[in-house]
Amino acid sequence: MILPAHFIFGFCAWLGLEFAAFIAVVQNIGFSGALLLGLATSLAGFALMRQTGRGAWEHLRSSISGAGSPQGDIVDGLIRALAAILLILPGFVSDLVGLALAAPSVRQILARRFGASWGATASVHRRGRPEIVELAPGEWVSHDPVRR
């Protein structure tokens, strides 16, 4: 099987960046510190993968019950899984990309951008935000011109 030249070039460039990043980290924190940092990010990746699996199961149940957006949850889950895989892989450049993808704000931006092409809605990250806020009568004011 012959691989395209741009794939081979990209892979070699990625390996070069990983090697340069490893050398830079070793110079700053030492060889044992670099190994411990690499181990720590791999363990964080495994923890994120486990959390992603549990979250996917919960989102599947809520989507079946009609409480969630299945397309948005799928895109968000795929981005989280990619982040976990990048954290598990050895290398500090892949760790930085994985950490960026693990951030909720970055996942939300990417899910909006790429989720639209898959039919997902823009309401990808509404978990944890209350849909209904109960206020006492003196805590709100109506700005509806019809009710005045």
Side-chain angles (χ1 to χ4, degrees):
M1 179 170 154
I2 299 173
L3 296 174
H6 63 277
F7 178 77
I8 294 172
F9 175 75
F11 183 73
C12 290
W14 174 70
L15 285 177
L17 281 173
E18 290 288 3
F19 183 71
F22 182 75
I23 296 298
V25 170
V26 166
Q27 287 178 347
N28 285 318
I29 64 173
F31 185 74
S32 59
L35 288 180
L36 286 174
L37 184 61
L39 179 65
T41 56
S42 292
L43 291 175
F46 282 117
L48 181 62
M49 184 65 80
R50 192 164 110 190
Q51 182 185 14
T52 300
R54 286 182 183 165
W57 181 253
E58 291 173 12
H59 296 304
L60 178 64
R61 288 192 321 192
S62 68
S63 295
I64 289 173
S65 68
S69 165
Q71 295 93 355
D73 289 338
I74 289 171
V75 173
D76 187 55
L78 286 173
I79 294 171
R80 285 176 61 127
L82 178 61
I85 290 169
L86 288 172
L87 283 170
I88 292 169
L89 288 175
F92 294 111
V93 175
S94 61
D95 289 344
L96 286 175
V97 174
L99 286 172
L101 290 176
S105 59
V106 174
R107 284 197 326 263
Q108 186 177 13
I109 291 168
L110 290 174
R112 273 194 213 141
R113 179 167 178 114
F114 295 114
S117 64
W118 291 339
T121 61
S123 63
V124 171
H125 230 29
R126 291 194 186 198
R127 294 182 291 286
R129 294 184 183 171
E131 295 293 326
I132 299 173
V133 178
E134 294 187 28
L135 298 173
E139 294 179 330
W140 60 275
V141 177
S142 175
H143 292 285
D144 189 8
V146 177
R147 291 189 168 189
R148 288 186 182 174

